[in-house]
Structure formats: C-alpha cells, structure tokens
Amino acid sequence: MDACSCTVNSPVNLVVPTGITLNVINAVTINSGSSLTFNNNSSLVQTNKNAVNSGNITYIRETSVRRYDYTYWSSPLTLASNFTLFNMSPLTLADKYTSYDSDASWVIHFGGGLTMKPGEGYSVRGPQNFDIVTPSIQTASFIGVPANGDVPKTTVPNKFNLLGNLYPSAI
C-alpha cells in the first residue's frame, strides 16, 4: 500500500496484515479514538526521514521460544514513547532483562523497567509460564509513536555492540 501521508481518524481501526508494507512518503498521524496496528511481519516504510509522526501505533512481533530461550529485541518506537522491557515481555523473570555494554558485558535491568531506546539491542528470556521443551509463540506488542529518520548511535570500535532494527519494518 502506498500513500503520500497517513492519517487515521476516529473511529477507524486500521490493521496492516502480515506480509504487507505500508509505504508512506510523509508523516503518519493517529488521532484519538482511532488505531493503526501492524501485524507480525508487516512493515511501515517512510521515505521522508524528516516527517514527524504523531499518535500511537501497535506494532506486533512474534517469535517461537521456550522458557529458557533468549531473544534479541529492539524497539521500533521513538524514545518519547517510554516503552519498557517489561511492557514487551511482562511474564519474564525480573532478572532476565538485559542489554549489552561494550565495556561491562551483559547488564541486568531488574524488573524490566528500562525504557527501550531506538537502535539499541536487548536480550530477554522467554516468559516464565512457557514450557521448557515445546516452543510457544511469544507475542510482543510495541505501543507508541513509530520511529522515523536518522537515529545516531555511537558504537565502541573493536568491541562487540548489540544493535537492533529501530524502525517498524520487518527486515
């Protein structure tokens, strides 16, 4: 689907199905009383990196995990969305939310209260109520303003860095 801009007005609830890309040249605006949801493996691609988005989308991602599996995650939302690791996986044990610091190795964010930053990678263990043998689908619903434009990220040369896709797109 292609659009110059995308404004969702009340009472519309727009869903972008799995496998579909919404290509928008300019801004995405979600007005009060409406919603825009991107199902797993759908994408939002914006051409104008200076377009300022407003209003919250729901961006759904799924992965197959067992209780003790870790998955690398990244937030497709702006920092202003204040979306935390706990919001992404509320049934994960409190000490199983981590990020990677190039100088200190893995850093535990007890309780998952850390706000996810665009471009940062995080490692989160599967939900505690999942089976240890048979994988289950873990669904993460990111809710906030979709990221757009350049997001500067400083990396540490000659050391490991954990980065993630900072846009609401399946790559």
Side-chain angles (χ1 to χ4, degrees):
M1 297 187 301
D2 298 314
C4 290
S5 62
C6 179
T7 300
V8 184
N9 290 316
S10 179
V12 174
N13 297 308
L14 180 62
V15 176
V16 179
T18 297
I20 300 296
T21 299
L22 175 58
N23 294 296
V24 179
I25 295 171
N26 295 302
V28 173
T29 304
I30 314 304
N31 290 319
S32 180
S34 62
S35 68
L36 175 57
T37 300
F38 290 84
N39 284 340
N40 187 53
N41 292 328
S42 63
S43 298
L44 169 62
V45 175
Q46 291 182 267
T47 307
N48 181 352
K49 67 180 182 178
N50 296 317
V52 178
N53 297 325
S54 62
N56 292 340
I57 66 165
T58 300
Y59 190 68
I60 299 170
R61 282 293 171 253
E62 296 175 349
T63 188
S64 178
V65 295
R66 291 175 286 270
R67 180 184 313 164
Y68 299 122
D69 292 345
Y70 278 84
T71 301
Y72 296 120
W73 295 94
S74 185
S75 176
L77 309 172
T78 67
L79 186 56
S81 295
N82 294 320
F83 193 84
T84 66
L85 291 167
F86 178 83
N87 295 136
M88 197 226 31
S89 186
L91 297 176
T92 292
L93 283 180
D95 64 340
K96 305 305 180 197
Y97 302 97
T98 62
S99 63
Y100 191 79
D101 181 307
S102 297
D103 293 319
S105 190
W106 292 106
V107 178
I108 296 171
H109 301 285
F110 195 84
L114 179 72
T115 297
M116 297 178 79
K117 298 177 186 174
E120 292 284 328
Y122 302 93
S123 177
V124 178
R125 197 171 89 175
Q128 189 62 18
N129 63 337
F130 278 21
D131 191 79
I132 61 173
V133 176
T134 305
S136 296
I137 299 298
Q138 180 180 11
T139 301
S141 296
F142 296 90
I143 300 170
V145 179
N148 184 40
D150 295 333
V151 176
K153 173 68 178 138
T154 303
T155 58
V156 180
N158 302 314
K159 293 195 176 189
F160 291 107
N161 295 270
L162 183 58
L163 306 175
N165 178 15
L166 57 124
Y167 301 107
S169 62
I171 59 170

